[in-house]
Amino acid sequence: MRALSILPGKLLTLLASLALCGAAVAQSYPDKQIRLVLGFAAGGPTDIIARHIAKDLSDIFKQSVVVENKTGASGNIATDFVGGSAADGYTLLFTAHTHLTNEILMDKLRYNPIRDFAPISEVCILPLLLLTEAASPMNSVADFVQAAKVSPGILSYASAGIGSSGHLGGALFEMLSGTKMTHVPFRGNANAIVEVMAGRVTTVFYPMIGVADMVKQKQVKVLVSGTPRRLPDFPNVPTMAEVGYPGFVDTVPWLGVLAPAGTPAAIVERVNAAIHQSLNKPETRDRLRDLGAVIVTNTPAEFKTFLEKDSERWARLIKAAGVKGG
């Protein structure tokens, strides 16, 4: 309070006016439709979760929150679009770890993933499972590694694109297991899993969302989980650590929401509170848990700190695995 007392009266008046403006903005927001933009295909894990959150936000805000899929370039097209949008809270980005890895893997991006965005909240993390088609002769990671070593480059792994969790997971597994496979990128996990089910691609490191249903329908089988402990849904599936690859848990991807840099703090805080309200709803928590997502929430400041540290982590992983961009 002593420091404030020495400020010129006009500056104090300006600061008070700005505070009142921020409060007024938060009270009136939103008064029109909000776009929640993501860079992955409809039907994939990220899309499924985004649509659950969007529905809750529509109910909370009493305004329509629509999901827009702007696919391609591992989310870069969507990110570039949101980064260039008005910083008014009406165009938000629902994104994944590729928000950070694109800067490491791609040249000449028009945005900086930290500087050009206002973090709102993390939403969840998505444990990865190694899947292959149900009819595959491979029934374990040992089978998979043996086959990969016998025929280097013949076995293939699908992903949602360059720098996606499936791509990084496959590249890291090659490094840890001393194998060589062929990476086949697609526009989103939904497309990738279809090719694995059909046997046109050998395997995929896939987020846990919807996998239990795929197994029941005999579309895929699970060889291993990239989690510290066995998953309740797959108690007979070993972890990467159990089969000799403990470093694989470093690939766990996340999902979160950001806004363009310069979005008023009052709006950021309001969206943050609404996201947390959504994730605290029993039906939403149960639904995401059923999908295999692990809910994570934080403040905008905490999410910013997380992004800065995670960017460094992915840079180390990408360098160690020798991953190259497209």
Side-chain angles (χ1 to χ4, degrees):
M1 295 300 294
R2 184 176 300 169
L4 286 176
S5 67
I6 64 173
L7 290 173
K10 288 185 179 179
L11 182 55
L12 281 173
T13 301
L14 176 61
L15 290 174
S17 297
L18 289 174
L20 288 172
C21 286
V25 166
Q27 278 191 333
S28 64
Y29 173 87
D31 58 10
K32 62 181 179 180
Q33 178 178 279
I34 298 170
R35 293 187 293 179
L36 190 61
V37 181
L38 67 152
F40 306 98
T46 305
D47 177 77
I48 292 171
I49 292 178
R51 291 180 187 278
H52 279 291
I53 302 300
K55 182 180 181 301
D56 284 347
L57 294 183
S58 295
D59 294 338
I60 293 166
F61 287 142
K62 308 302 181 187
Q63 289 287 346
S64 175
V65 179
V66 297
V67 172
E68 290 188 9
N69 303 83
K70 294 185 178 295
T71 63
S74 293
N76 180 42
I77 293 172
T79 305
D80 190 52
F81 174 80
V82 174
S85 297
D88 57 8
Y90 290 98
T91 304
L92 306 174
L93 180 67
F94 195 92
T95 191
H97 72 282
T98 50
H99 181 75
L100 304 174
T101 58
N102 283 349
E103 183 187 36
I104 303 166
L105 293 168
M106 297 181 180
D107 295 327
K108 299 178 181 178
L109 291 184
R110 296 193 297 179
Y111 63 84
N112 178 287
I114 304 295
R115 184 183 62 242
D116 296 334
F117 293 86
I120 296 178
S121 180
E122 197 172 352
V123 170
C124 64
I125 59 174
L126 303 173
L128 292 177
L129 303 175
L130 178 59
L131 309 179
T132 189
E133 66 166 317
S136 170
M138 294 180 289
N139 294 305
S140 67
V141 170
D143 292 344
F144 184 81
V145 170
Q146 182 180 7
K149 287 186 174 180
V150 168
S151 304
I154 299 300
L155 268 61
S156 55
Y157 65 98
S159 81
I162 301 294
S164 65
S165 58
H167 178 204
L168 296 178
L172 181 61
F173 187 71
E174 285 180 294
M175 181 187 74
L176 295 173
S177 62
T179 57
K180 179 62 179 175
M181 300 180 286
T182 297
H183 174 222
V184 186
F186 293 92
R187 276 197 167 195
N189 272 316
N191 298 323
I193 193 63
V194 167
E195 296 302 303
V196 172
M197 289 176 181
R200 291 186 285 269
V201 182
T202 311
T203 190
V204 63
F205 287 91
Y206 193 85
M208 195 175 133
I209 294 176
V211 173
D213 288 338
M214 298 177 203
V215 171
K216 288 177 183 176
Q217 295 170 19
K218 301 188 184 305
Q219 295 172 315
V220 299
K221 57 185 170 183
V222 185
L223 300 184
V224 69
S225 71
T227 53
R229 292 172 295 279
R230 292 196 181 198
L231 297 164
D233 285 353
F234 304 101
N236 296 322
V237 174
T239 67
M240 278 291 190
E242 288 179 288
V243 298
Y245 308 110
F248 189 84
V249 295
D250 286 343
T251 64
V252 172
W254 52 265
L255 300 179
V257 181
L258 300 98
T263 300
I267 290 179
V268 168
E269 293 289 348
R270 180 148 166 69
V271 178
N272 175 276
I275 290 171
H276 292 189
Q277 187 176 339
S278 165
L279 296 174
N280 280 323
K281 287 177 60 179
E283 54 268 38
T284 299
R285 296 184 70 86
D286 290 346
R287 180 57 176 152
L288 264 62
R289 189 179 300 113
D290 289 344
L291 290 169
V294 178
I295 291 173
V296 178
T297 57
N298 42 29
T299 66
E302 289 168 342
F303 191 25
K304 183 176 187 295
T305 299
F306 168 81
L307 291 172
E308 292 169 346
K309 292 182 178 179
D310 204 48
S311 180
E312 297 173 359
R313 180 178 74 89
W314 284 112
R316 290 194 300 269
L317 189 155
I318 287 168
K319 181 179 180 180
V323 178
K324 304 296 182 183

